[in-house]
Amino acid sequence: MIPYFSLQKITESFEPQLSEAINDITASGWYLQGKANANFEKEFADYCGTTHCVGTGNGMDAITLILLAWQAMGKTQRGDEVIVPANTCIATIIGILRAGMQPVLCEPEAYSCNINPHKIVTLITTNTKVILPVHLYGHSADMDPILAIAMQHGLLVLEDCAQAHGAFYKGKRVGSLGHAAAFSFYPSKNLGALGDGGAVTTSDVDTATYVRALGNYGSSAKYVHDFKGINSRLDELQAAILSVKLKRLDADNERRREVARRYRKGMHNPLVRLLPVSEPMENVYHIFPIFCSDRERLQAYLMEKGIQTLIHYPIAPHKQQALSEYAALSLPITEQIHREELSLPMSPLLTDEEIEHIIESINHFV
Ligand SMILES: *Cc1c(COP(=O)(O)O)cnc(C)c1O
């Protein structure tokens, strides 16, 4: 059986460093907002090419906190509109709603599955304040046109990097391209904690300062509260674990690219469509999606061959009960992606034999 992604194997592969880091924190007697956070924040900001990084409790909070920070800074208000791809993980959209703002769902480009800059323009109103591109599946959105539109209309750009740790767009890391970026360290992400975790990266000192205060009950100094903030902090254990795992992120991403190269080279089945290759947007392949109009049968067939796959995601956000106010929208590209997408096993630890078996099996699907 080839699992979709074996977190247990991944975690084991970081020993003994991981256990040593955990033991150090356990023994230190300091579990929140300490040295491990300061270290990781510095390392991750350097890695992304920003001046600031602020740890948060998870990726969804990172999105909410950036929007709340921009409200506190007077750059946006509750009720303002945020343009977001319709085919994102629902957490992106809920993160916007929790900041009291209005998500405006935008169709993706069919060939990249990332937000379509031409469609963004058609959705801009006098209430639009933010564009929120998501670097879906590990592949950067086409940022140059998005940044140009934002500049022209005076909008802020918030990158959702939850699936794209380490990806590049034209030589720059994602997380450094917009005004601020949200990362998730959900365990199965390319950089994953052993629990929940997230971060905001930005090179704007005010955004970083407000995000830090708002994630700590609105406190700018101990026991001094300027805002009604929330509690969303990265804990010391997770920060120390992430520092260990960050050291291998580039090597792991390179192995994911190698897996993807083999998939692309070997897979030839007219019933299965792949996304086009995406240099200069160096993809980190959080997910390797394939598309098939007979997806359910393909998934069952692969399961019979001992290959576990997942679907990202089976139900489009606007078709979810939670977002019933969007149910009447017609978003044909989004809906097609949700009907046809299937995610193949993708991990830096996939063996050559496993990759070959997956390719062979896909090629024999009729
Ligand atoms: C995982 C994910 C999130 C949410 O991250 P959490 O840490 O689980 O809150 C947000 N956006 C995208 C695109 C994601 O993949």
Side-chain angles (χ1 to χ4, degrees), residues 11 70 72 83 94-95 140 142 159 167 183-184 220 234 273 290 332:
T11 303
W70 288 343
I83 298 178
I94 297 176
S140 174
D142 194 6
E159 298 170 76
F183 284 87
S184 162
S220 54
L234 184 64
R273 186 169 62 83
I290 63 175

Side-chain angles (χ1 to χ4, degrees), residues 40 61 244 267 304 365:
F40 175 70
D61 282 353
V244 171
M267 246 185 264
E304 266 170 39
F365 176 69

